[in-house]
């Protein structure tokens, strides 16, 4: 066997040998993570047609990948958590017994790399020097996966050295297989710290460091070890006075986490600065003082492209003009990438390479993506590499709700905040295969990503006050309220900083809020609305609690929580009863 690279760690060497015997590749290549290696990967993908060059004058080092049309999003119905006891995976996950899952996957992987190269990617989720970082090795036969892992994780020699010292790592095995949706599975074995993914090359299914390791496996590990692995962006907000607060925000997929993480302050807020640490995943640990600290396990972004322009997200727009891999965007006549919402250029070929006139539907796929290293981002925070991460002042949940959920509200306590998180619901998006625009319950934005029973997960969240008296405040935001005609009531994007300022001021106990049954809401005078074209009526609609609608919502949340059965922590149910009791005696905005 032609092999480049090896390791001194026998457990890793034996595993790689074993996988190569099953999958039978022609060659084994251990990735070192160097720039030369990346350049060579790109050269090979250009040669074999996996990538094509975009306009190198206007988009230097940018490439386009067109995926198989059946392989454009995460496949939640084919994603399984395989624990020994089914209830440990919980009703929130598809479950398969580990033995059954292993024999299914063994049959799929048998000989699947014949005639191909097997790549071994050692990676580190989190800064290489961080005590909070965790390690993994992904084996794959996809060059596209290797190149994306290079942009998204700290991979190669430095990670391997740490793996060899620590000895503990997550084993991820991936093959694109035949891309047959009937032969596609994403299996997680949290008790074995392993992942097996077959039949898809799409980001969340195939870049195993991301959703599979950093959320599903890590959340399971985090519960045992007393920390949290969350679907959250991490952003620092610096005031003109030079005071920086870091917040972590959980929104479901394609609800604007990337936009918020690299927000451009509006003209009305001169002197404010944004520092991005992460746009998708946060690992949260309590330090010895009880301060919650966050690291971003990833080191790049796999962002949704449509809608990105110089007005909605100038930083993202700028950062994808160089050194980026685009997946499933359209192209213009002069070979620039194009997507719905781009304000310049005209698409010539759609995401499948067909002339746009012949194409039926959008020119770019609604879930088309860019992959870039985080350092491409003009608002990149150097603290991203800080081993101890950053202190978190506020946790913010949110969803895409055209009705009901106010612009912002603050939970009354940590336990109430856990209920607010458990009650997150959002309209579905193209990030996952299935209907779009249907409201579904997505607790903590973790429905597709929590690697164990949600009931146990809520208990874990509720245990934090036992270990810290300095926990962050918890909030909920909704940028997506509409009126009956479908008009957005809040301008969103950069203007969201006005709301974040209120959140920070609340954390610092220097802003007012009005107590309602569901939490504290701002009054018009609490948020600076100067220069915004927003009527008092719209602001009232954004900040009023509709008592009947909320009573129904809380009852629906109660039914949802009850569907998790006996494992649901009584403290969560008590929080729900308190809100319902308060709603029954309240009359909206100012009612306690
Ligand atoms: C993502 C997702 O790609 O949540 O981040 O689907
Ligand atoms: Mn995500």
């Amino acid at each position: 066997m032609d092999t480049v690279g090896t390791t001194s760690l026998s457990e890793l060497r034996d595993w790689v040998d074993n996988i190569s015997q099953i999958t039978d590749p022609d060659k084994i290549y251990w990735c070192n993570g160097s720039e030369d290696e990346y350049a060579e990967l790109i050269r090979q993908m250009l040669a074999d047609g996996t990538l094509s060059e975009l306009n190198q004058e206007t988009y230097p080092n940018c490439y386009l990948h067109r995926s198989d049309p059946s392989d454009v999003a995460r496949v939640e119905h084919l994603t399984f958590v395989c624990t020994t006891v089914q209830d440990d995976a919980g009703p929130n996950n598809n479950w398969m017994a580990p033995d059954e899952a292993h024999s299914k996957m063994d049959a799929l992987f048998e000989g699947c790399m014949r005639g191909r190269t097997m790549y071994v990617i050692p990676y580190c989720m989190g800064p290489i020097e961080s005590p909070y970082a965790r390690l993994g090795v992904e084996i794959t036969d996809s060059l596209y996966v290797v190149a994306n892992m290079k942009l998204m994780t700290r991979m190669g020699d430095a990670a391997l050295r740490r793996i060899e010292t620590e000895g503990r790592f997550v084993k991820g095995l991936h093959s694109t297989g035949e891309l047959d949706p009937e032969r596609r599975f994403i299996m997680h074995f949290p008790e074995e710290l392993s992942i097996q993914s077959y039949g898809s090359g799409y980001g969340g299914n195939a870049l195993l460091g991301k959703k599979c390791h950093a959320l599903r496996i890590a959340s399971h590990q985090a519960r045992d070890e007393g920390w949290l692995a969350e679907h959250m962006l991490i952003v620092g907000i610096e005031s003109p006075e030079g005071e920086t607060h870091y917040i972590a925000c959980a929104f479901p997929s394609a609800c604007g986490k990337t936009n918020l993480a690299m927000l451009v302050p509006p003209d009305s807020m001169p002197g404010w600065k944004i520092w991005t640490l992460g746009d998708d995943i946060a690992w949260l640990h309590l330090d010895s003082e009880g301060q919650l600290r966050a690291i971003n396990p990833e080191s790049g972004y796999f962002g949704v492209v449509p809608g990105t322009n110089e007005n909605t997200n100038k930083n993202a727009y700028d950062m994808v003009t160089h050194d980026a891999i685009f997946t499933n965007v359209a192209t213009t006549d002069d070979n620039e990438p194009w997507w719905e919402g781009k304000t310049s250029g005209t698409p010539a070929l759609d995401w499948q390479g067909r002339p746009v006139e012949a194409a039926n539907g959008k020119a770019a796929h609604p879930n088309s993506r860019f992959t870039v290293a985080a350092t491409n981002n003009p608002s990149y925070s150097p603290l991203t590499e800080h081993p101890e991460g950053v202190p978190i002042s506020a946790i913010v949940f949110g969803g895409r709700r055209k009705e009901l959920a106010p612009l912002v509200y603050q939970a009354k306590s940590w336990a109430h905040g856990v209920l607010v998180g458990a009650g997150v619901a959002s309209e579905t998006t193209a990030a996952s295969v299935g209907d779009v625009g249907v409201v579904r319950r997505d607790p903590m934005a973790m429905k597709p990503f929590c690697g164990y029973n949600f009931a146990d997960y809520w208990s874990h969240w509720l245990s934090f006050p036992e270990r810290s008296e300095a926990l962050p405040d918890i909030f909920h935001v909704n940028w997506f309220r509409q009126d009956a005609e479908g008009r957005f009531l809040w301008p969103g994007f950069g203007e969201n900083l006005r709301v974040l300022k209120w959140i920070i001021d609340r954390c610092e106990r220097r802003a007012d809020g009005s107590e309602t049954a569901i939490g504290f809401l701002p009054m018009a005078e609490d948020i600076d609305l100067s220069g915004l074209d927003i009527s008092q009526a719209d602001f009232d609609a954004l900040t009023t609690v509709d008592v009947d609608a909320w009573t129904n919502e809380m009852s629906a949340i109660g039914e949802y929580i009850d569907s998790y059965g006996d494992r649901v922590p009584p403290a969560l149910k008590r929080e729900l009863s308190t809100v319902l009791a308060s709603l029954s005696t309240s009359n909206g905005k100012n009612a306690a």
Side-chain angles (χ1 to χ4, degrees):
M1 171 87 52
D2 181 6
T3 302
V4 179
T6 186
T7 175
S8 58
L9 185 67
S10 56
E11 186 190 341
L12 174 53
R13 221 175 33 238
D14 293 348
W15 176 60
V16 170
D17 282 351
N18 182 253
I19 298 301
S20 82
Q21 272 157 29
I22 296 170
T23 58
D24 198 18
D26 278 6
K27 185 174 168 186
I28 302 177
Y29 177 82
W30 289 70
C31 301
N32 59 37
S34 68
E35 294 311 315
D36 285 352
E37 175 181 89
Y38 182 74
E40 175 55 22
L41 294 171
I42 297 287
R43 198 195 57 71
Q44 286 181 33
M45 283 190 282
L46 290 172
D48 73 11
T50 306
L51 292 183
S52 58
E53 255 181 9
L54 290 163
N55 186 324
Q56 294 297 300
E57 265 164 46
T58 47
Y59 284 82
N61 300 320
C62 289
Y63 305 96
L64 170 63
H65 173 67
R66 290 199 182 105
S67 79
D68 185 278
S70 78
D71 187 31
V72 292
R74 283 183 292 99
V75 281
E76 289 172 20
H77 59 298
L78 303 174
T79 300
F80 289 77
V81 170
C82 309
T83 42
T84 315
V85 176
Q86 177 164 6
D87 231 14
D88 290 345
N92 44 310
N93 283 301
N94 300 316
W95 176 84
M96 204 180 282
D99 285 352
E100 190 189 340
H102 276 304
S103 51
K104 199 182 257 310
M105 297 310 276
D106 287 352
L108 290 172
F109 281 115
E110 181 74 46
C112 71
M113 298 190 188
R114 220 159 271 150
R116 307 165 83 158
T117 300
M118 180 172 115
Y119 298 91
V120 182
I121 315 171
Y123 62 83
C124 178
M125 301 310 287
I128 290 273
E129 303 295 332
S130 173
Y132 305 138
R134 293 288 185 277
L135 302 151
V137 177
E138 174 163 1
I139 294 180
T140 180
D141 55 8
S142 160
L143 278 165
Y144 171 82
V145 165
V146 182
N148 276 271
M149 286 290 285
K150 159 77 178 151
L151 297 176
M152 298 290 301
T153 67
R154 293 130 178 121
M155 68 90 130
D157 287 346
L160 182 58
R161 276 196 300 277
R162 187 165 161 181
I163 292 170
E164 286 167 345
T165 317
E166 253 169 56
R168 192 163 187 242
F169 62 97
V170 170
K171 298 184 177 87
L173 172 57
H174 167 258
S175 170
T176 36
E178 314 80 358
L179 293 174
D180 174 358
E182 300 297 318
R183 288 163 57 81
R184 182 173 290 163
F185 288 102
I186 326 295
M187 301 284 190
H188 302 76
F189 304 90
E191 294 151 355
E192 299 167 21
L193 291 188
S194 86
I195 306 159
Q196 299 202 344
S197 163
Y198 187 90
S200 166
Y202 173 78
N205 304 328
L207 311 180
L208 301 186
K210 192 172 179 61
K211 305 299 187 181
C212 301
H213 179 164
L215 287 175
R216 296 194 192 96
I217 298 287
S219 60
H220 195 276
Q221 230 177 340
R223 188 256 319 254
D224 295 344
E225 296 173 6
W227 51 282
L228 291 165
E230 296 298 324
H231 193 205
M232 291 179 178
L233 67 91
I234 311 164
V235 65
I237 302 161
E238 184 179 333
S239 71
E241 292 75 39
E243 181 192 66
T244 305
H245 288 87
Y246 297 91
I247 66 173
C249 311
F251 309 153
S253 306
C255 285
K257 282 201 302 299
T258 306
N259 288 346
L260 190 69
M262 50 193 73
L263 168 156
V264 176
D267 292 344
S268 61
M269 297 181 74
W272 288 80
K273 280 200 201 114
I274 291 293
W275 298 102
T276 314
L277 285 105
D279 79 328
D280 197 41
I281 301 177
W283 285 357
L284 304 165
H285 287 79
L286 289 174
D287 69 13
S288 53
E289 313 284 288
Q291 168 69 56
L292 199 66
R293 306 190 71 88
I295 61 162
N296 175 10
E298 302 187 280
S299 64
Y301 311 124
F302 179 66
V304 177
V305 193
T308 306
N309 62 45
E310 53 283 63
N311 306 316
T312 57
N313 189 344
K314 170 101 171 75
N315 284 331
Y317 191 65
D318 288 349
M319 92 184 164
V320 301
T321 55
H322 63 99
D323 303 284
I325 297 177
F326 287 89
T327 303
N328 292 338
V329 292
T331 48
T332 62
D333 268 337
D334 48 8
N335 202 24
E336 292 190 344
W338 193 91
W339 52 87
E340 275 69 20
K342 193 173 187 201
T343 50
S344 62
T346 314
L349 300 178
D350 81 344
W351 62 280
Q352 292 183 66
R354 301 168 303 190
V356 272
E357 314 78 62
N360 182 5
K362 308 267 189 209
H365 188 275
N367 193 34
S368 50
R369 298 280 178 147
F370 58 75
T371 320
V372 291
T375 44
N376 264 32
N377 175 8
S379 61
Y380 171 78
S381 165
L383 290 184
T384 306
E385 288 301 326
H386 195 292
E388 301 296 329
V390 291
I392 294 297
S393 300
I395 286 178
V396 182
F397 294 112
R400 188 182 281 272
R401 300 294 297 264
K402 50 176 175 276
E403 290 164 355
L404 188 81
L407 177 62
V408 57
Y409 60 98
Q410 179 186 14
K412 297 180 184 179
S413 64
W414 178 268
H416 177 220
V418 175
L419 175 66
V420 169
V424 167
S426 193
E427 292 147 26
T428 49
T429 66
S432 171
V433 168
D435 292 338
V436 169
V438 182
V439 174
R440 77 159 179 182
R441 298 256 152 241
D442 192 350
M444 279 80 171
M446 282 286 278
K447 171 73 186 64
F449 307 122
C450 183
Y452 64 106
N453 191 321
F454 260 152
D456 299 342
Y457 171 75
W458 296 324
S459 296
H460 181 46
W461 266 82
L462 286 166
S463 74
F464 275 69
E466 290 157 23
R467 280 174 293 135
S468 169
E469 288 176 3
L471 293 171
D473 291 332
I474 299 182
F475 297 78
H476 186 284
V477 298
N478 176 22
W479 316 131
F480 300 95
R481 274 293 286 275
Q482 296 176 21
D483 66 10
E485 279 71 53
R487 182 181 58 93
F488 284 102
L489 297 183
W490 177 251
F493 303 108
E495 306 298 350
N496 293 337
L497 185 55
R498 299 174 191 251
V499 175
L500 300 184
K501 177 173 183 308
W502 181 74
I503 287 177
I504 289 165
D505 288 343
R506 287 292 296 173
C507 294
E508 290 294 336
R509 311 288 180 257
R510 61 191 178 208
D512 280 339
S514 153
E515 188 169 358
T516 75
I518 67 163
F520 295 95
L521 271 75
M523 308 283 276
E525 59 276 19
D526 300 327
I527 292 195
D528 180 5
L529 298 176
S530 56
L532 272 193
D533 185 18
I534 180 164
S535 66
Q536 185 63 45
D538 282 354
F539 192 77
D540 286 348
L542 282 164
T543 55
T544 300
V545 177
D546 178 335
V547 172
D548 290 341
W550 267 100
T551 304
N552 291 338
E553 175 76 356
M554 291 316 296
S555 307
I557 293 172
E559 278 169 30
Y560 178 76
I561 287 175
D562 282 344
S563 73
Y564 285 82
D566 293 349
R567 291 197 184 201
V568 173
L572 193 65
K573 295 193 188 188
R574 276 199 301 277
E575 288 300 323
L576 187 101
S577 307
T578 306
V579 177
L580 273 169
S582 174
L583 279 164
S584 72
T585 56
S586 96
N587 61 359
K589 190 153 185 159
N590 295 310

